[in-house]
Amino acid sequence: MSNIKLEQYKIFKEAAFTLSFSQAARNLYITQSAVSQTITLLEKELDTSLFIRHRKGVTLTKEGEMLYHKISQALSLITNAENELSSYKQLTSGELTIGAGDSLCEHYLIPYLVSFREHYPQVHIKVINGTTSETIKLLKSGTIDLAFVNMPLNDPSIQVKSCYQVHDIFVSGTKDLHTYSYEEIAKENLILLETLSNSRNFVDNYFSKHGILLKPAMELGAYSLLLKFAHNKLGISCVIKEFSTEALKNEQVYALDVQPPLPARSIGYASLKTAALSAAALKFIALIEE
């Protein structure tokens, strides 16, 4: 495969993933006209239409979907070969790209990112925020090296390893000595994360196993807001104990006594089973597992 053809397919893959020529251009740091010209030339060379153009974007044709699937696999194999070669070298350059949610970054990853930067200052670190489902999508597309996710995660193409245990608790802005059953806490003015998050799904599924459907009064997209809303007595928030230690210590919020306590769950790092990890990713994992 010539360098020119390889670049064409990289541009096609980005356009197919984003379904937007303008977004693909921004991601690749080239002009939108360069993306359009490349796709047009590729369609002419292959004698087939790969995209259906719309006013607000593009969609893949059946042929485009097939090519995207095959090209993604081919480019992944090339990347794997390059990563295997680079693993034999010292980390004097390169990039580490990680996907994780805001709360995981703030309360878990930052010390490891700082340590990695101190050990390997010439490696560029990039962090992309997103929910577990969003980071897994980025992982499958090859956009990130590692995804830090809330477990459990069941995907046959992904390998995930637990690295940190957490506990879900309910907190309020006022001290409350009452012991709550699951039925009682479910009747309170609850504030939970949006259903897109694995943390929320874990709590929902656990209560569901006890025959209880949680109907929160509010659903929030940012973890930090859960503590702020509870502190301001807007309701009872479900938070992660390990990520709320400062707020609990300073009595900004108070943990409620819910019996029995919810079981521990894990934070894990995920990677593609079919992809070889880069040397940078392997070094970052080594820091976490020390």
Side-chain angles (χ1 to χ4, degrees), residues 1-18 20-21 23-25 27-30 34-35 38-39 42 50-51 67-68 70-72 74-80 82 141 143:
M1 186 186 295
S2 69
N3 285 340
I4 295 176
K5 199 75 169 180
L6 181 60
E7 287 305 311
Q8 285 180 317
Y9 283 134
K10 285 181 177 179
I11 292 172
F12 163 75
K13 177 177 177 286
E14 191 64 29
F17 174 69
T18 60
S20 167
F21 288 1
Q23 185 61 51
N27 292 351
L28 296 171
Y29 301 100
I30 58 178
V35 174
T38 298
I39 299 301
L42 191 59
L50 300 174
F51 291 95
L67 184 64
Y68 174 59
K70 297 293 184 182
I71 289 300
S72 295
L75 291 177
S76 179
L77 288 173
I78 293 171
T79 301
N80 290 349
E82 293 173 343
S141 72
T143 305

Side-chain angles (χ1 to χ4, degrees), residues 3 36 55 109 112-113 126 137 180 236 254 268 282 288:
N3 285 340
S36 298
R55 186 174 298 175
L109 281 180
Y112 295 111
L113 292 170
K126 185 178 180 181
K137 185 178 179 181
Y180 288 85
I236 292 173
Y254 301 87
L282 289 172
I288 288 174

Side-chain angles (χ1 to χ4, degrees), residues 15-55:
F17 174 69
T18 60
L19 294 178
S20 167
F21 288 1
S22 59
Q23 185 61 51
R26 287 193 290 271
N27 292 351
L28 296 171
Y29 301 100
I30 58 178
T31 64
Q32 183 174 341
S33 62
V35 174
S36 298
Q37 290 171 13
T38 298
I39 299 301
T40 299
L41 180 59
L42 191 59
E43 289 178 322
K44 185 176 180 181
E45 291 175 349
L46 298 175
D47 192 26
T48 188
S49 295
L50 300 174
F51 291 95
I52 300 171
R53 278 76 167 173
H54 305 288
R55 186 174 298 175

Side-chain angles (χ1 to χ4, degrees), residues 236-254:
I236 292 173
S237 294
C238 183
V239 301
I240 295 173
K241 180 181 179 181
E242 289 74 10
F243 295 173
S244 309
T245 52
E246 188 171 339
L248 290 165
K249 180 181 177 181
N250 295 334
E251 296 187 340
Q252 296 170 350
V253 294
Y254 301 87

